[in-house]
Amino acid sequence: MDDRLSLRQRAAIALQRSIGRTRVAEPLRDRAETARVARIEAAILSLSPITREVFILHRFDDLGYERIGHRLSISVEEVTAHMATAILQLDLALCDII
């Protein structure tokens, strides 16, 4: 089994960090927060596969653009374009909760 965190776990951690919690391992506390995490997960899953992978590698795995480009065999310019696309699409999908 892969020891990497699932997308749902990563989304929960990202949400908890964004709202200023210091203990990211604590469970989600209420239904509203669970719903927000589900929306974030759905928005990330709606990205094209390559855009989603670039976004996850950069935002959740903290890889730089050069390293992502090398790992995925794409140019840094393509990584930049995929990140811009991801940020725009996620902003549009989640503008009311982030």
Side-chain angles (χ1 to χ4, degrees):
M1 179 164 173
D2 191 358
D3 62 354
R4 292 171 38 168
L5 294 176
S6 72
L7 183 56
R8 180 173 296 279
Q9 290 167 318
R10 290 176 178 186
I13 289 168
L15 177 64
Q16 290 172 347
R17 285 180 180 162
S18 74
I19 59 175
R21 294 222 171 125
T22 56
R23 296 185 60 204
V24 297
E26 69 185 48
L28 300 177
R29 294 211 172 198
D30 60 23
R31 290 181 192 192
E33 191 170 333
T34 301
R36 284 191 298 273
V37 170
R39 282 198 51 207
I40 292 168
E41 180 181 35
I44 292 170
L45 289 173
S46 75
L47 300 171
S48 72
I50 185 73
T51 299
R52 180 174 54 244
E53 185 66 16
V54 167
F55 179 79
I56 289 170
L57 288 171
H58 183 63
R59 292 295 174 109
F60 296 122
D61 295 340
D62 293 324
L63 296 184
Y65 285 16
E66 277 189 35
R67 193 158 175 207
I68 294 169
H70 181 72
R71 180 179 283 190
L72 300 178
S73 299
I74 61 176
S75 70
V76 172
E77 292 79 15
E78 288 175 287
V79 172
T80 302
H82 285 294
M83 279 301 297
T85 298
I87 291 167
L88 177 62
Q89 289 180 1
L90 295 173
D91 183 56
L92 290 172
L94 303 169
C95 64
D96 62 318
I97 66 167
I98 57 173

